[in-house]
């Protein structure tokens, strides 16, 4: 890779990239990553089929008066919204099936992405963006770039480079997903200054969880499973909200701590479960993706202990790890 | 097809992708007051970023049923089940109230039949109020800090 030498030097000077390169080359299990990619496309087909099953309900209940097609489905203006709905739902299902069956071939993954983008744009064409499938859509975009390595021989030298590229793109998907959580946390922090100086409630106010939960229940006209509990015990809600802000803000750091991937995936899944039980914020899609990307992360060492996983938790890893060790010693 | 060939161009691709996501998302959010909420399909992920105000201005409707019981909608916690099957929604009442306040008669005329149809099985009239409320207090007890009657409607059968 002679022509790549100067590029390597430039890339190694980009913050985080040298570390990412080290994780990929030293920790990456290409076999593990290869096994997870089809799981993504299998689930994509499952989701597409599930939506297709609800097509009649969609046609009967959608308010097409407010349907303004987003740019990926510009062609929907040429036909009736009902026809566009049928084409998009059937098209997504067929393209997802192709991607699930031929996931080893880039052309099928491109088809899977295009079909998915059509559905995503459709969902976001009714007056406001629909974020349920955002990260799935972007991971499908990124994974169009996975090199087709399934049929490359183990001892092929160029194959080795492609395997590294494969792991890099896989790691990119993990980094992107965690970045979205960090952006979400950053938003909660950035709003503090303006809201606090205006004398308003803000992210660190003791009634922050009560306000969010009551507003959501009022708007949805539904009592959630745990909502009333947090309205009754405001400080409990506050503590959990602050924990969530921490969890979100530091998430992107965890992509550089592969031994903590599995644990962090669990924390984020629990966070989504918590927001569902308190505010009925439904993020089923992201939880499934967290499981695919992090529960069996190909960058995590096999047999890594719980205290080693805990040690990688940003800022709090060492005290948590110490407490865990203390508890272990106490129990023996 | 084997692009991106090796881990370095692949990492460059990843880096550009992540940077684009962050820049597009953050700039779309920063310019939200002047333009779109997002630059589709990019998004800032600033979900629930601002704390809800402790005092909010909104709209409710009140009506009295045949049994003489007065209902308020959106309903507080204790009465949510009374409206389990209703086509009423928080957003319908809110958007209707805003249209009335803004003098948008076309929007009012468009939404009024939906409101009338939703209330008709229980009552032949309803009144729209603009209220100032704390969401926690309203949800728990249905109390408002202040209210202003906007308009009363008789339902044509």
């Amino acid at each position: 890779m002679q022509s790549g030498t100067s590029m390597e030097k430039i890339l190694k000077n980009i913050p985080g990239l040298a570390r990412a390169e080290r994780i990929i080359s030293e920790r990456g299990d290409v076999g593990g990553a290869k096994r997870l990619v089809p799981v993504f496309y299998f689930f994509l087909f499952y989701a597409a089929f599930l939506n297709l099953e609800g097509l009649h309900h969609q046609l009967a209940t959608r308010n097409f008066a407010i349907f303004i097609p987003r740019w990926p489905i510009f062609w929907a203006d040429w036909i009736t919204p009902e026809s566009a709905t049928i084409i998009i739902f059937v098209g997504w299902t067929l393209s997802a099936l192709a991607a699930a069956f031929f996931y080893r071939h880039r052309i099928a993954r491109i088809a899977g992405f295009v079909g998915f983008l059509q559905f995503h744009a459709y969902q976001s064409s009714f007056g406001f963006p629909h974020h349920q499938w955002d990260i799935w859509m972007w991971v499908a975009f990124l994974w169009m770039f996975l090199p087709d390595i399934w049929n490359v021989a183990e001892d092929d030298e160029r194959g080795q480079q492609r395997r590294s590229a494969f792991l890099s793109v896989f790691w990119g998907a993990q980094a992107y997903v965690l970045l979205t959580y960090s952006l979400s946390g950053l938003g909660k922090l950035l709003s503090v200054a303006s809201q606090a100086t205006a004398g308003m409630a803000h992210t660190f106010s003791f009634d922050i969880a009560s306000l969010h939960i009551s507003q959501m229940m009022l708007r949805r006209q539904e009592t959630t499973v745990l909502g009333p509990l947090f309205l009754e015990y405001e400080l409990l809600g506050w503590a959990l909200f602050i924990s969530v802000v921490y969890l979100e803000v530091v998430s992107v750091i965890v992509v550089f701590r592969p031994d903590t991937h599995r644990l962090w995936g669990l924390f984020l899944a629990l966070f989504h479960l918590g927001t569902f039980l308190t505010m009925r914020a439904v993020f089923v899609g992201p939880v499934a993706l967290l499981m695919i990307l992090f529960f069996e992360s190909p960058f995590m060492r096999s047999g890594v202990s719980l205290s080693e996983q805990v040690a990688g938790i940003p800022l709090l890893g060492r005290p948590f790890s110490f407490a865990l060790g203390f508890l272990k010693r106490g129990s023996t | 097809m084997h692009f991106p060939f090796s881990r370095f161009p692949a990492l460059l691709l990843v880096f550009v992708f992540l940077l684009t996501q962050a820049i597009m998302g953050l700039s779309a959010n920063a310019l939200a007051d002047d333009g779109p909420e997002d630059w589709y399909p990019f998004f800032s992920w600033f979900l629930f970023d601002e704390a809800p105000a402790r005092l909010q201005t909104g709209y409710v409707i009140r009506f009295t049923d045949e049994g003489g019981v007065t209902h308020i909608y959106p309903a507080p916690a204790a009465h949510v089940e009374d409206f389990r099957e209703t086509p009423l929604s928080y957003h319908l009442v809110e958007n209707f109230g805003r249209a009335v306040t803004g003098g948008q008669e076309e929007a009012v005329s468009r939404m009024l039949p939906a409101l009338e149809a939703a209330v008709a099985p229980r009552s032949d009239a309803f009144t729209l109020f603009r209220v100032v409320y704390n969401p926690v207090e309203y949800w728990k007890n249905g109390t408002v800090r202040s209210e202003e009657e906007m308009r009363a409607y008789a339902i044509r059968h």
Side-chain angles (χ1 to χ4, degrees), chain A residues 289-304:
Chain A
L289 189 55
L290 286 168
M291 289 177 176
I292 294 168
L293 292 177
F294 295 102
F295 275 26
E296 285 298 326
S297 173
F299 302 103
M300 194 172 162
R301 286 177 297 162
S302 60
V304 65

Side-chain angles (χ1 to χ4, degrees), chain B residues 37-86:
Chain B
E37 185 189 328
D38 65 342
W39 287 339
Y40 185 83
F42 296 96
F43 179 51
S44 68
W45 287 102
F46 281 17
L47 288 169
F48 302 104
D49 57 323
E50 291 193 343
R54 289 192 181 106
L55 285 183
Q56 303 183 12
T57 301
Y59 297 89
V60 301
I61 57 167
R62 279 209 188 97
F63 56 90
T64 304
D65 66 21
E66 288 174 352
V69 179
T70 299
H71 299 275
I72 184 169
Y73 192 90
H79 297 285
V80 161
E81 286 304 317
D82 300 347
F83 293 93
R84 177 58 53 218
E85 301 299 327
T86 184

Side-chain angles (χ1 to χ4, degrees), chain A residues 230-245:
Chain A
F230 290 115
L231 294 193
E232 198 62 37
Y233 301 101
E234 209 164 55
L235 279 181
L236 181 64
W238 174 82
L240 280 175
F241 193 88
I242 298 302
S243 307
V244 164
V245 174

Side-chain angles (χ1 to χ4, degrees), chain A residues 21 106 120 191 207 215, chain B residues 3 7 40 49 54 56 75:
Chain A
E21 193 275 331
R106 181 172 291 169
H120 189 274
S191 65
D207 55 352
Q215 181 167 281
Chain B
F3 176 81
R7 74 171 167 272
Y40 185 83
D49 57 323
R54 289 192 181 106
Q56 303 183 12

Side-chain angles (χ1 to χ4, degrees), chain B:
Chain B
M1 282 185 282
H2 299 298
F3 176 81
F5 308 116
S6 73
R7 74 171 167 272
F8 281 104
L11 271 177
L12 183 64
L13 171 86
V14 165
F15 178 74
V16 170
F17 172 77
L18 296 175
L19 200 63
T20 306
Q21 289 289 339
I23 290 172
M24 293 296 283
L26 291 174
S27 51
N29 187 271
L31 300 171
D33 289 340
D34 304 311
E37 185 189 328
D38 65 342
W39 287 339
Y40 185 83
F42 296 96
F43 179 51
S44 68
W45 287 102
F46 281 17
L47 288 169
F48 302 104
D49 57 323
E50 291 193 343
R54 289 192 181 106
L55 285 183
Q56 303 183 12
T57 301
Y59 297 89
V60 301
I61 57 167
R62 279 209 188 97
F63 56 90
T64 304
D65 66 21
E66 288 174 352
V69 179
T70 299
H71 299 275
I72 184 169
Y73 192 90
H79 297 285
V80 161
E81 286 304 317
D82 300 347
F83 293 93
R84 177 58 53 218
E85 301 299 327
T86 184
L88 279 170
S89 75
Y90 168 89
H91 292 288
L92 177 61
V93 174
E94 188 70 16
N95 291 339
F96 182 74
R98 284 181 192 168
V100 170
T101 303
Q104 299 162 350
E105 290 306 322
E106 191 192 326
V108 170
S109 307
R110 199 176 62 241
M111 286 184 268
L112 185 57
L115 266 176
E116 287 181 334
V119 176
R122 298 170 189 240
S123 179
D124 54 9
F126 69 90
T127 308
L128 175 74
F129 291 86
R130 181 161 58 191
V131 294
V132 175
Y133 64 97
N134 173 295
V136 181
E137 292 170 0
Y138 187 90
W139 179 252
K140 279 183 171 176
N141 317 309
T143 54
V144 297
R145 298 290 180 95
S146 67
E147 65 179 42
E148 174 192 355
E149 185 176 326
M150 302 295 292
R151 222 184 264 184
Y153 296 87
I155 299 172
R156 292 155 296 190
H157 289 280

Side-chain angles (χ1 to χ4, degrees), chain A residues 63-98:
Chain A
N63 180 8
F64 289 113
I66 57 168
F67 180 63
I68 302 169
R70 297 271 187 166
W71 63 262
I73 51 168
F74 64 91
W75 52 267
D77 269 337
W78 304 338
I79 54 178
T80 64
E82 289 82 0
S83 301
T85 304
I86 294 167
I87 291 169
I88 289 166
F89 276 57
V90 174
W92 180 34
T93 309
L94 290 175
S95 68
L97 181 61

Side-chain angles (χ1 to χ4, degrees), chain A residues 181-232:
Chain A
Y181 287 97
S182 289
L183 287 172
S184 182
L186 180 69
K188 292 179 182 68
L189 290 184
L190 288 178
S191 65
V192 171
S194 59
Q195 290 201 295
T197 50
M200 299 166 69
H202 53 82
T203 297
F204 297 112
S205 299
F206 286 121
D207 55 352
I208 180 71
S210 311
L211 287 166
H212 273 301
I213 291 167
S214 58
Q215 181 167 281
M216 283 293 276
M217 291 198 293
L218 185 60
R219 289 182 178 185
R220 289 181 185 274
Q221 284 289 282
E222 185 179 327
T223 303
T224 58
V225 176
L226 294 179
L229 176 76
F230 290 115
L231 294 193
E232 198 62 37

